[in-house]
């Protein structure tokens, strides 16, 4: 069942990796922003369009039934990836951002002035702004948990922040900037002991770690398909049966209701209650294919491969004068953020692009973290399943050349 891990065969399944950029082979190190797609995903979407496509759920006819089957098989694939107890706990969204907005919006009816939401300073804006809405509209108080010098979460501060007024603790499983992996199991335990709910942002963790939502014990878990080698426009929101049954629907429309009359409505059960209108059918099927493709591999082998790339790049940066790395927490994932003294990260990224190397530069949708680090932006190289050690060499050489031009 498990497929041997071989990076050359893996690369051959990603057509885009044969591209050249400015006359050089593409080195794609922007995986934390979005990952490339294998033929398994491209073909799953194209074949569905070509051979069996119709709207889901409402049909009696063959194509509708077949499409519904493929769509629900994708839900089962996502359930398996997260080890969720039941497919009814898996909601299709358009991405992690929509999932978090759904949870915040569902909570809004119960939040009163002075109720507290606990966040860490390493959160992505999509796990900050929806909670700011509750501050603006409901008078909720945001409580921020800081970091230790190595970029790990300050667990003492987390313990101190959670109290009787806490209604929600919203925390990333793995930081998209620092690569820090948080002890979300302990955070969930602390939150529940205080009677609060926990949402885990799994955008990076779903790609780089083995996730088990039941072992974590969180109420909510979100991720996006496009970082997991799947299509854009699709994400997963996992919620426990209890969290889902107390949550109000986020949007109204077809399929999420049981009955509609002129003066009343009754809701359908989860997951349908949260999937108003025609869902992203093809995107969900593409995500199902991405999960199936990804899960062919032994997760420990994938993680070891990515970690080796990270370590090689990290070691390469040591040789470059004036280079500082952000985030060195023990057990961190394969995301490498750095700054070169006196050089704007945008300039660095632009020169690297000329050498075919795609990295990201900016605040990475984590401005509170930038403030914490005392920078306005960082450069970031992030590694995926198809990257190679030879590409890390190209990256380090290009960085050295860029330094020569800019410093
Ligand atoms: C990418 C990312 C998000 C946002 O995901 P979208 O796909 O843009 O909705 C949130 N949190 C983390 C940690 C991310 O890496």
């Amino acid at each position: 069942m498990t497929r041997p891990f071989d990076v050359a065969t893996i690369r051959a399944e990603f057509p885009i990796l044969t591209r050249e950029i400015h006359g050089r082979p593409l080195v794609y190190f922007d995986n934390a922003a979005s990952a490339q797609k294998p033929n398994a995903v491209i073909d799953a979407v194209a074949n569905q369009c070509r051979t069996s496509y119709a709207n889901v759920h409402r049909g009696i006819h063959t194509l509708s039934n077949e499409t519904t089957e493929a769509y629900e098989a994708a839900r089962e694939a996502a359930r398996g990836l997260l080890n969720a107890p039941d497919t009814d706990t898996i909601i299709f969204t358009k991405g992690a951002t929509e999932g978090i907005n759904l949870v915040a919006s569902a909570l809004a009816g119960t939040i009163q002035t002075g109720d507290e939401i606990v966040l860490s300073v390493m959160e992505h804006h999509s796990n900050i702004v929806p909670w700011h809405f509750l501050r603006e509209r409901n008078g909720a108080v945001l409580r921020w948990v800081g970091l230790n010098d190595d970029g790990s979460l300050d667990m003492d501060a987390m313990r101190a922040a959670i109290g009787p007024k806490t209604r929600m603790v919203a925390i990333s499983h793995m930081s998209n900037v620092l690569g820090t992996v948080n002890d979300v199991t302990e955070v969930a335990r602390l939150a529940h002991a205080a009677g609060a709910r926990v949402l885990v942002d799994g955008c990076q963790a779903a790609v780089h770690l083995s996730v088990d939502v039941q072992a974590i014990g969180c109420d909510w878990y979100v991720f996006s398909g496009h970082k997991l080698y799947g299509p854009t426009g699709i994400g997963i929101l996992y919620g426990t049966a209890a969290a889902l049954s107390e949550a109000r629907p986020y949007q109204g429309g077809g399929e999420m209701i049981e009955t509609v009359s002129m003066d009343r409505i009754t809701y359908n059960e989860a997951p349908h209650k949260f999937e108003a209108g025609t869902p992203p059918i093809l995107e969900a099927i593409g995500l199902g294919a991405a999960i199936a493709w990804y899960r062919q591999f032994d997760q420990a082998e994938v993680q070891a491969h990515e970690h080796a790339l990270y370590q090689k790049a990290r070691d390469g940066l040591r040789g470059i004068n004036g280079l500082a790395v952000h985030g060195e927490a023990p057990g961190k994932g394969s995301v490498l953020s750095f700054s070169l003294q006196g050089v704007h990260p945008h300039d660095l990224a632009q020169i690297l692009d000329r050498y075919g190397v795609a990295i990201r530069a900016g605040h990475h949708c984590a401005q509170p973290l930038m403030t914490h680090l005392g920078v306005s932006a960082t450069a970031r190289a992030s590694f995926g399943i198809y990257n190679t050690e030879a590409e890390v060499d190209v990256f380090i050489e290009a960085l050295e050349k860029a330094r020569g031009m800019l410093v």
Side-chain angles (χ1 to χ4, degrees):
M1 167 101 196
T2 308
R3 181 180 146 181
F5 186 89
D6 174 53
V7 75
T9 14
I10 289 171
R11 290 181 68 81
E13 291 175 50
F14 286 78
I16 205 169
L17 296 180
T18 59
R19 261 206 69 169
E20 294 197 338
I21 304 291
H22 303 303
R24 294 174 191 258
L26 165 68
V27 173
Y28 189 77
F29 282 176
D30 194 17
N31 294 287
S34 204
Q36 302 300 344
K37 323 301 175 201
N39 283 328
V41 171
I42 300 166
D43 293 347
V45 175
N47 288 341
Q48 199 75 40
C49 295
R50 288 200 176 102
T51 63
S52 178
Y53 176 77
N55 209 331
V56 290
H57 296 317
R58 272 152 273 183
I60 306 293
H61 61 81
T62 301
L63 289 184
S64 176
N65 288 335
E66 285 177 7
T67 311
T68 302
E69 234 169 75
Y71 177 73
E72 292 302 330
R75 199 189 302 277
E76 167 55 24
R79 186 210 62 73
L81 182 78
L82 299 180
N83 192 33
D86 197 289
T87 47
D88 290 349
T89 63
I90 300 292
I91 318 288
F92 285 121
T93 63
K94 105 175 148 60
T97 299
E98 189 182 51
I100 300 169
N101 275 279
L102 187 160
V103 173
S105 160
L107 200 69
T110 70
I111 291 280
Q112 292 171 4
T113 305
D115 283 349
E116 295 179 355
I117 315 281
V118 174
L119 306 169
S120 88
V121 305
M122 73 175 90
E123 297 315 308
H124 187 284
H125 290 167
S126 66
N127 197 22
I128 296 176
V129 181
W131 309 114
H132 264 299
F133 286 176
L134 298 187
R135 179 190 57 74
E136 283 186 343
R137 297 167 193 177
N138 298 57
V141 175
L142 303 188
R143 297 205 53 180
W144 293 92
V145 175
L147 311 181
N148 301 309
D149 288 344
D150 63 359
S152 58
L153 188 65
D154 182 344
M155 286 303 284
D156 290 335
M158 179 60 81
R159 266 175 222 107
I162 296 173
K165 288 188 166 174
T166 309
R167 303 298 312 282
M168 173 63 74
V169 181
I171 178 88
S172 57
H173 196 172
M174 174 176 155
S175 162
N176 64 309
V177 181
L178 304 171
T180 305
V181 175
N182 291 316
D183 185 353
V184 288
T185 308
E186 176 62 5
V187 172
R189 196 189 64 76
L190 292 167
H192 288 158
R197 292 269 187 223
V198 183
L199 177 141
V200 179
D201 171 359
C203 280
Q204 299 298 329
V207 191
H208 300 292
L209 306 173
S210 303
V211 177
D212 182 337
V213 290
Q214 297 185 75
I216 294 167
C218 53
D219 301 285
W220 303 102
Y221 196 96
V222 298
F223 73 89
S224 289
H226 65 97
K227 296 179 185 182
L228 188 64
Y229 312 105
T232 53
I234 187 74
I236 296 295
L237 169 67
Y238 156 80
T240 59
L244 286 167
S245 81
E246 79 182 18
R248 290 194 314 183
Y250 175 54
Q251 294 179 330
E255 204 57 45
M256 54 77 65
I257 38 71
E258 190 182 47
T259 62
V260 179
S261 69
M262 300 224 187
D263 54 10
R264 66 186 298 268
I265 50 172
T266 57
Y267 299 138
N268 203 338
E269 300 285 318
H272 310 294
K273 179 176 144 187
F274 300 100
E275 293 179 358
T278 297
I281 301 166
L282 293 166
E283 292 81 353
I285 290 168
L287 174 58
I291 293 172
W293 180 84
Y294 179 71
R295 295 194 79 201
Q296 297 176 96
F297 303 101
D298 174 44
Q299 297 308 296
E301 271 189 295
V302 177
Q303 287 168 33
H305 171 71
E306 292 173 346
H307 186 73
L309 297 174
Y310 168 82
Q311 203 52 53
K312 185 175 168 65
R314 174 69 192 91
D315 291 344
L317 293 190
R318 269 181 236 283
I320 300 177
N321 239 342
L323 210 139
V325 168
H326 306 290
E328 308 238 47
K332 68 167 281 185
S334 55
V335 175
L336 181 56
S337 273
F338 56 94
S339 304
L340 187 56
Q341 207 175 12
V343 174
H344 197 281
H346 285 163
D347 297 336
L348 207 56
Q350 221 154 37
I351 294 183
L352 260 58
D353 183 61
R354 284 197 237 153
Y355 291 97
V357 181
I359 64 161
R360 187 146 291 252
H363 56 58
H364 315 294
C365 295
Q367 284 180 335
L369 176 59
M370 296 297 114
T371 303
H372 171 87
L373 296 172
V375 297
S376 60
T378 76
R380 180 186 70 189
S382 51
F383 310 102
I385 192 166
Y386 38 65
N387 290 129
T388 66
E389 305 222 345
E391 288 182 313
V392 174
D393 289 332
V394 173
F395 162 66
I396 295 293
E397 265 173 53
L399 256 185
E400 277 163 353
K401 285 178 189 143
R403 185 179 181 281
M405 289 181 217
L406 292 166
V407 176

